Amino acid sequence: MKNHFDVVTYIPASPGHLKERGFDPVYELYADIFDLQNLLSKKDADKPQAQKNRLERMKTPQTFFAQPAINQLSKDQSILILDDIYTTGRTLMHAHDIFFERGFTNISTFSLSR
């Protein structure tokens, strides 16, 4: 069975991470496969997720906010949120919440690795 999603978005790099790397790793992983929509932005955190232990990751506050384009979507559209690595699920949960709080109910997530 194939899945169909009306909207495919991704976990964006924070401005600091983007400046440090020079590219957005999650976007680059999926850009040739999906028509990605830039619907989320991420604030810089105190330190990168990769440098946090499990407890620190679980306590990380919401760092995402919606791009204005999210307001152009219909609430009945199905959303797929893409990420690279799933460790605690906290990042995808925070991204999911951005859509859920705006009335979207058909929200799925996918990561390459766990």
Side-chain angles (χ1 to χ4, degrees):
M1 180 168 149
K2 291 185 178 183
N3 289 319
H4 170 78
F5 298 97
D6 299 309
V7 177
V8 182
T9 191
Y10 60 98
I11 300 298
S14 66
H17 195 195
L18 190 59
K19 183 178 179 180
E20 179 182 314
R21 285 205 169 165
F23 68 98
D24 188 320
V26 177
Y27 176 85
E28 295 299 332
L29 280 171
Y30 298 106
D32 290 339
I33 302 167
F34 297 100
D35 179 20
L36 297 173
Q37 294 190 35
N38 182 9
L39 300 173
L40 300 170
S41 288
K42 187 175 183 180
K43 301 174 200 164
D44 282 320
D46 56 344
K47 63 181 177 180
Q49 288 286 88
Q51 294 177 7
K52 295 179 182 179
N53 64 36
R54 181 173 178 77
L55 182 59
E56 290 173 319
R57 286 174 187 235
M58 295 304 290
K59 289 183 175 181
T60 300
Q62 173 66 278
T63 59
F64 292 103
F65 58 95
Q67 290 285 346
I70 203 170
N71 298 319
Q72 304 304 313
L73 302 177
S74 171
K75 303 295 189 248
D76 63 346
Q77 288 182 295
S78 58
I79 310 292
L80 175 61
I81 307 169
L82 302 171
D83 199 3
D84 54 356
I85 300 170
Y86 181 108
T87 305
T88 63
R90 195 77 169 163
T91 300
L92 286 170
M93 182 198 73
H94 283 315
H96 173 279
D97 288 351
I98 292 292
F99 290 94
F100 189 75
E101 290 167 359
R102 284 166 177 72
F104 294 91
T105 57
N106 190 354
I107 308 162
S108 299
T109 63
F110 176 83
S111 61
L112 285 177
S113 179
R114 177 163 188 200

